[in-house]
């Protein structure tokens, strides 16, 4: 992990050394840039980020209040009352988000809402592939568009093409409320 900050302080806690970084902190790993107000390096590959956390990799931006980063597993776990994930004009809001900077895949549990153009997708959990721009929504999925509403157990939605693939246990209604399937 490459990093920079305004102030760097070293604290000795028993046999462990902890390094604090304060002021305009930024780190780079696997092509991802993580910026925040302050950071703590617990070990060479274990970091904590605090205050206005932003994880940016290619076209994806993840906003939170704090994050833990495991450099060995290349995973950032982001924390905030509501986490915002931005990919172009697609916005995902969720309560928790874990992003792998190597595979460029993020996951959420406990509910998420994707807003994209005139489509709203709600699901219990999901997987976001930042390279393919696919979101795989699983569990009590509801998709609301201009011309239809849909309920399903799972769908794959591509934010580039705006195409949704759905599988079993799906129901669709048109804009007039007529049941289609």
């Amino acid at each position: 992990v490459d990093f920079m900050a305004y102030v760097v302080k070293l604290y000795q806690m028993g046999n462990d050394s902890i390094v604090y970084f304060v002021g305009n902190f930024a780190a780079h790993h696997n092509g991802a840039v993580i910026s925040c107000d302050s950071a703590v390096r617990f070990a060479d590959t274990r970091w904590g980020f605090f205050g206005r956390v932003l994880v940016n990799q290619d076209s994806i931006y993840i906003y939170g209040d704090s994050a833990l980063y495991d450099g060995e597993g290349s995973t950032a776990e982001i924390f905030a009352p509501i986490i915002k994930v931005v990919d172009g004009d697609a916005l995902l809001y969720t309560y928790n988000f874990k992003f792998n900077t190597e595979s460029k895949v993020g996951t959420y549990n406990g509910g998420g809402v994707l807003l994209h153009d005139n489509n709203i997708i709600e699901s219990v959990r999901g997987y976001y592939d930042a390279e393919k721009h696919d979101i795989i929504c699983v569990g009590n999925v509801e998709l609301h568009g201009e011309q239809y509403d849909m309920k399903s157990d799972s769908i794959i939605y591509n934010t580039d093409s705006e195409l949704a693939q759905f599988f079993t246990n799906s129901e669709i209604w048109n804009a007039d409320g007529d049941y289609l399937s």
Side-chain angles (χ1 to χ4, degrees):
V1 177
D2 298 321
F3 55 86
M4 64 176 224
Y6 289 147
V7 177
V8 179
K9 294 183 180 182
L10 176 66
Y11 289 95
Q12 196 69 32
M13 294 185 67
N15 292 334
D16 296 326
S17 296
I18 297 174
V19 183
Y20 290 88
F21 302 86
V22 180
N24 203 25
F25 177 85
H28 181 269
H29 191 243
N30 290 336
V33 175
I34 303 171
S35 60
C36 60
D37 292 336
S38 62
V40 176
R41 188 188 79 178
F42 301 108
D44 287 343
T45 60
R46 186 108 171 108
W47 292 75
F49 305 110
F50 306 95
R52 296 184 296 173
V53 173
L54 170 61
V55 179
N56 169 236
Q57 188 165 22
D58 300 329
S59 67
I60 192 168
Y61 297 84
I62 307 164
Y63 298 88
D65 293 337
S66 63
L68 291 175
Y69 189 74
D70 172 11
E72 283 184 37
S74 299
T75 56
E77 189 169 1
I78 295 90
F79 303 96
I82 298 290
I83 297 160
K84 181 169 82 170
V85 180
V86 179
D87 189 0
D89 58 354
L91 301 172
L92 171 65
Y93 295 97
T94 185
Y95 300 108
N96 61 66
F97 197 74
K98 186 179 274 190
F99 185 71
N100 186 299
T101 60
E102 189 171 1
S103 68
K104 299 180 185 177
V105 173
T107 60
Y108 64 90
N109 292 303
V113 176
L114 178 78
L115 307 172
H116 185 246
D117 292 335
N118 294 315
N119 296 311
I120 300 170
I121 303 173
E122 300 174 60
S123 66
V124 173
R125 63 187 186 281
Y127 308 89
Y128 196 86
D129 186 325
E131 281 192 322
K132 294 180 182 176
H133 304 279
D134 281 340
I135 183 166
I136 301 166
C137 301
V138 181
N140 298 328
V141 180
E142 292 189 21
L143 175 84
H144 305 282
E146 279 186 8
Q147 302 299 318
Y148 58 90
D149 289 312
M150 182 179 121
K151 290 185 180 184
S152 182
D153 58 3
S154 59
I155 67 165
I156 299 173
Y157 179 82
N158 184 277
T159 59
D160 282 343
S161 67
E162 296 186 42
L163 293 177
Q165 298 174 12
F166 53 95
F167 303 97
T168 60
N169 300 327
S170 298
E171 300 177 285
I172 303 172
W173 294 265
N174 66 16
D176 296 328
D178 299 325
Y179 182 75
L180 302 176
S181 138

